[in-house]
Amino acid sequence: MTIHQALGVKKRPYDALRDFSPIALLGSSTTLLAARNNFPASNLRELIDYARAHPGKISYGSCGNGSVQHIAGELLIQMAKIELLHVPYKGCAEGIPQLLNGDVDFLINTVANLQQYVRSGRIKPWATTGERRAQTAPELPTIAEAGFPGYNLNNWFGIIAPSGVPTPILDRLNVEINRALTRPEVRERLTSLKLDLHGGSREEFAAMMKSETERFARALGSLRLGAD
């Protein structure tokens, strides 16, 4: 939502900040960069060096044009000043067999989708995209740790309501959602989906949505992804 707002997508019948009232941030899932096993680079730093020596020759797959995973790749391209060939798949699942078959050099996908292949040794992980290491995969370094401080991109999940819902109702919903996030069965279910759990106040969630929109607008102001 905040990414499409920042990109200025024209065919969007809402304003993400004006037309909705944030209630609570549930959690976030980080994205992982992982390569085919026979790719020459063993870590992100080696990828950058290899990409600079072979501009435009390295392919990466995402979950589709304008997806969080695509934006993660574009941010890396901007910050590392490299050229990569983007291969947009029709959803996150489609790219996984292409990576395993070696049809794409590396994939940007969720930890939840790729972790089993990392653990079985079928692909090699490079880094995650969040500000901090993922709670569900703390052994994996972040892109920021790998040499690009300030890099931060997570796929977050929250609950919002249409603007105009009375404040007491929004406040009550926030309290109940935060209470639910403390229940062991809820935490177990959400963490099984590879979510890092958050919670917090409505004000904190609203501030995050605003800052995310502004941050992506600055970083991706010239990128339109063919989404008009």
Side-chain angles (χ1 to χ4, degrees):
M1 176 184 288
T2 52
I3 285 177
H4 279 191
Q5 181 88 3
L7 288 174
V9 176
K10 294 177 182 177
K11 296 179 181 178
R12 177 174 41 83
Y14 61 84
D15 183 290
L17 302 180
R18 182 191 63 218
D19 296 335
F20 299 98
S21 296
I23 297 176
L25 177 63
L26 296 179
S28 62
S29 64
T30 194
T31 297
L32 173 64
L33 279 66
R36 54 181 172 86
N37 265 338
N38 59 349
F39 189 77
S42 297
N43 54 54
L44 188 65
R45 190 71 259 172
E46 291 180 5
L47 164 68
I48 302 305
D49 293 340
Y50 192 84
R52 288 173 178 164
H54 303 82
K57 303 298 184 181
I58 301 170
S59 60
Y60 81 94
S62 78
C63 301
N65 276 323
S67 64
V68 171
Q69 293 75 24
H70 181 192
I71 303 303
E74 293 300 319
L75 283 175
L76 179 62
I77 287 169
Q78 289 186 9
M79 293 183 72
K81 296 180 173 57
I82 56 176
E83 295 180 33
L84 299 173
L85 175 63
H86 175 230
V87 182
Y89 292 108
K90 296 178 180 178
C92 290
E94 187 180 78
I96 296 174
Q98 304 303 315
L99 179 65
L100 296 174
N101 292 336
D103 295 329
V104 66
D105 292 318
F106 73 96
L107 198 65
I108 304 180
N109 209 309
T110 66
V111 170
N113 285 337
L114 296 180
Q115 198 167 43
Q116 62 174 307
Y117 302 103
V118 171
R119 288 175 173 169
S120 65
R122 299 184 67 187
I123 60 177
K124 50 185 177 183
W126 282 334
T128 57
T129 62
E131 182 180 16
R132 301 176 183 84
R133 294 194 179 199
Q135 296 172 14
T136 54
E139 73 280 7
L140 299 176
T142 66
I143 290 178
E145 288 178 302
F148 297 94
Y151 188 106
N152 174 27
L153 182 65
N154 269 339
N155 194 14
W156 56 263
F157 302 87
I159 297 179
I160 59 178
S163 61
V165 173
T167 298
I169 294 177
L170 299 174
D171 289 340
R172 176 63 184 275
L173 287 170
N174 175 268
V175 168
E176 295 301 328
I177 290 167
N178 276 284
R179 183 174 295 151
L181 288 174
T182 67
R183 294 169 57 184
E185 64 272 24
V186 173
R187 297 184 66 85
E188 181 179 357
R189 174 57 178 160
L190 292 178
T191 54
S192 73
L193 300 174
K194 307 303 181 185
L195 289 183
D196 292 351
L197 303 186
H198 291 284
S201 69
R202 289 180 52 234
E203 292 75 17
E204 290 169 334
F205 187 21
M208 189 214 75
M209 288 182 62
K210 184 174 185 294
S211 67
E212 288 279 277
T213 301
E214 293 172 348
R215 183 166 70 93
F216 287 122
R218 289 192 301 270
L220 305 172
S222 62
L223 188 65
R224 286 296 175 267
L225 308 175
D228 291 348

